[in-house]
Amino acid sequence: MTSAAASNAHDTLQSFMAASRSVLDQFGKTVASGTPMPGTGWPGNLAEPFVQMTALQQAYLEQVGRMWTDALHHTVDTWNAAVTPAPTDRRFKAPGWNDSYYHLIKQAYLSSAKYLHDFVETAQVDEKTRIRLRFYARQYTDAMSPSNFPATNPEVIARAIETRCESLTTGLNNLIEDVAKGRISMTDEAAFEVGVNLAVTPGAVVFENEIFQLIHYRPRTEEVEATPLLVVPPCINKFYVLDLGPDNSFVRYALDQGQAVFLMSWRNPGPDQDRLSWDDYIEEGVIRALDVVRAVAGARRTHALGFCVGGTLLGCTAAVLAGRGRDDLASLTLLTTMLDFADTGDIGIMVDEAYVSSREMLIGRGGLLAGKELAFIFSTLRANDLIWNYVVNNYLKGATPDAFDLLYWNADAVNLPGPMYCWYVRHAYLENAIREPGRTVQAGTPVDLSRISVPVYLLAAREDHIVPWRTAYGTTGLVGGPVRFVLAASGHIAGVINPASRNRRSHWLNAERPADPEAWLATAEETRGSWWPDWAAWIGNLSSGRVPAPRELGGAGFGPIEPAPGRYVRVNAD
């Protein structure tokens, strides 16, 4: 561009910006004075919101104006970025984004995204509506990123030139394959097989019904705890997140501590199980598993550990047992679990009366919630990482995803029975009824969480986007027994699956239990490394003694049916 052309463009842009500012100033003064604009009836008490909007618009236009002025008069080396990406934003890390054309596109996008974010934050709405607006604004801005389109992504163009467009052909083939699968490939799925390099801890299935298989794991110590441990994984995922491989298996770690470990492998329900209810999952699920574990181990009581929805089921089961006067449990461990659903984070904005009612009408009396639908919902909570990242790499760059066991597990979807799912979303997410004593009747028993009197170990994850840690902390005020609350670093899965041997991340401890979670965190002590050893010490202090490890798996009429991990975990969702 010649200097004369640049000068003319600059003058035109400056005139446009001045005119825009004049209009916005006049609009703001008119609204602030309480005088209705021509053709409107806006009252003066709405002045503040409109003034805020005017200020946002003016700031946005000024920012865009500065950006274009810099683009017309300066080289990229002297540009001052109007908006910088977040440190965790990997979309614009490549050097190509600093070239003049792409830098301008990036800045225009970031400025627009910031404007939309600020608009949501200053909107005069209640907090629930603001959370909903945040979510949808983020979905829109994530989808419209220039990194998602081949013509505006310098990495995609460079890769196409380098490969003589072979990357685009490969990407198209990847897209066709994923369309056939009905989901985005997040990992090299050929690199993993359940029972071969996932879920390989030795054991045997010793019981099964239409809801679950019960795995009894082979001990790894000469003696084991006399009180066995039942693990209740989430029923919306497969259990092997807790047994990914020898180096990151929580099951193996518990065995190494001398625990006698049993685990529920939930069935991936099909048409024959589409009428199962929440009560079935408690009565014929968790309670039945506890009965079998006590019989096999010859024990009066059982330690029990639940993860995510498995923890919610376990907490409700503990209250049902307490309501029946049964003393089956020695302790509870609840990992990233909600029993109080007052703040459910982003996922809660999808659950309203209209959604729940429609689900009840469609599948509430029978039917399945498809696992792929659930998986997509969870992916939207982190769309840049779990959707658009793979769209760009797989389809635009023609790359093959790396082999990652956790992402393979994440894509291994599980269906849910309609009646069970509908009860859960209504009474937990929509009405938050589980926390209120006697408001829900589960498995024929009024549920009162305060009747849970056994020791409870509560783990939350500080960056959890599915179970916000402050919400998980709320359980400390609901149960009646002594509680140890521990806050792990990272998110919903990485905060839990953090092997002690790797000495990664941190966790926070505080013996005090104030009502306010922020007050708890303010005086909590950060400890380097995994929370696993802390849990091992806690449950070790509840020991009822040790007995010689059994030579055979099963017992009391519950013999081995098949080797672990069993058939149920291998059934894929339709």
Side-chain angles (χ1 to χ4, degrees), residues 1-11 72:
M1 179 178 290
T2 65
S3 59
S7 178
N8 289 336
H10 175 260
D11 291 344
L72 292 168

Side-chain angles (χ1 to χ4, degrees), residues 483-502:
V483 177
R484 181 171 182 80
F485 181 81
V486 179
L487 182 61
S490 197
H492 188 68
I493 301 300
V496 173
I497 309 305
N498 183 18
S501 60
R502 297 182 183 177

